[in-house]
Amino acid sequence: MCRPPAVARWCPRVFYGWIVWAVVVGGQTLFFLGASSGVTFIIDAVRDELDMSQSSIAAAYMVGTLGSALAQVPIGRLVDRFGGRVGMTLTSGLFALSVAALSLPVNWPTLALAFCSLRAFGVGGFALACTTCLQQWFCRRRGLATGLAESIASLLSYSVLSNAMVALESALGWRHAYALAGLLVLGVYTPVAALLVRA
């Protein structure tokens, strides 16, 4: 039988799952920074600065994606063992650091390593923790909660976050844009997840 975690005492009239849902939507929106569609905005700048071909960058991204796949099983076990709150806090922090680390590559190996951490802790670990936490809170309305979360996160990702990253890249360059984005995720979202998520 599906039983959501206990409702927080300080909010007795509101199902606390919707508060967790809002935190999850924020996390799913941030996945954009590590997704293929998000990285696309900086590919040309990375190629020009690192003097790489398009195929070399694609190979680095492929290596990073394959490497991140190996991390999914241990990350999933950790989320199951420690729960959604610790899972979301830890993976969002690691994802934030990996976003900031994307500003550091100077050659092909370091770029592949940056892509690997970005994929492993973002679309892999962070996404896994968010999805698991959401499913723990919703039983009868799980489909509604999941559909709304994915729809709203997609709208925010492609309409708000994408334009914000393009503006940052134009103003600061791709390195500073990703460094700033990572610090913002670490300084804003991770503490919110630690405070509000209960699972």
Side-chain angles (χ1 to χ4, degrees):
M1 181 177 179
C2 178
R3 293 182 178 178
V7 177
R9 295 179 181 177
W10 59 270
C11 191
R13 296 184 179 180
V14 177
F15 175 49
Y16 198 79
W18 289 112
I19 296 175
V20 175
W21 174 89
V23 179
V24 169
V25 169
Q28 291 179 334
T29 302
L30 294 174
F31 298 164
F32 181 82
L33 296 173
S36 303
S37 51
V39 176
T40 299
F41 291 104
I42 66 168
I43 289 299
D44 290 339
V46 172
R47 180 189 60 200
D48 294 340
E49 183 170 334
L50 300 185
D51 194 22
M52 293 183 184
S53 65
Q54 194 75 23
S55 59
S56 295
I57 294 178
Y61 194 79
M62 180 190 70
V63 169
T65 301
L66 293 176
S68 70
L70 300 176
Q72 300 314 297
V73 173
I75 290 175
R77 288 177 178 174
L78 289 174
V79 172
D80 288 339
R81 179 177 180 181
F82 295 105
R85 180 183 183 183
V86 174
M88 285 184 64
T89 302
L90 181 60
T91 55
S92 67
L94 292 172
F95 174 61
L97 294 176
S98 68
V99 170
L102 191 59
S103 65
L104 302 176
V106 294
N107 49 33
W108 191 91
T110 54
L111 182 63
L113 184 61
F115 281 149
C116 186
S117 64
L118 190 69
R119 300 288 287 171
F121 297 125
V123 181
F126 190 23
L128 179 63
C130 286
T131 301
T132 300
C133 191
L134 184 66
Q135 304 311 308
Q136 289 175 340
W137 273 96
F138 288 88
C139 300
R140 289 183 304 165
R141 298 182 178 179
R142 181 174 292 167
L144 174 64
T146 302
L148 284 175
E150 293 181 356
S151 299
I152 294 174
S154 296
L155 288 173
L156 292 175
S157 297
Y158 289 97
S159 63
V160 178
L161 191 55
S162 61
N163 288 321
M165 288 303 296
V166 169
L168 280 177
E169 183 192 353
S170 299
L172 305 175
W174 66 275
R175 291 186 184 274
H176 288 89
Y178 262 81
L180 180 59
L183 292 177
L184 287 175
V185 174
L186 184 63
V188 177
Y189 182 86
T190 299
V192 169
L195 289 172
L196 296 183
V197 173
R198 297 288 184 272

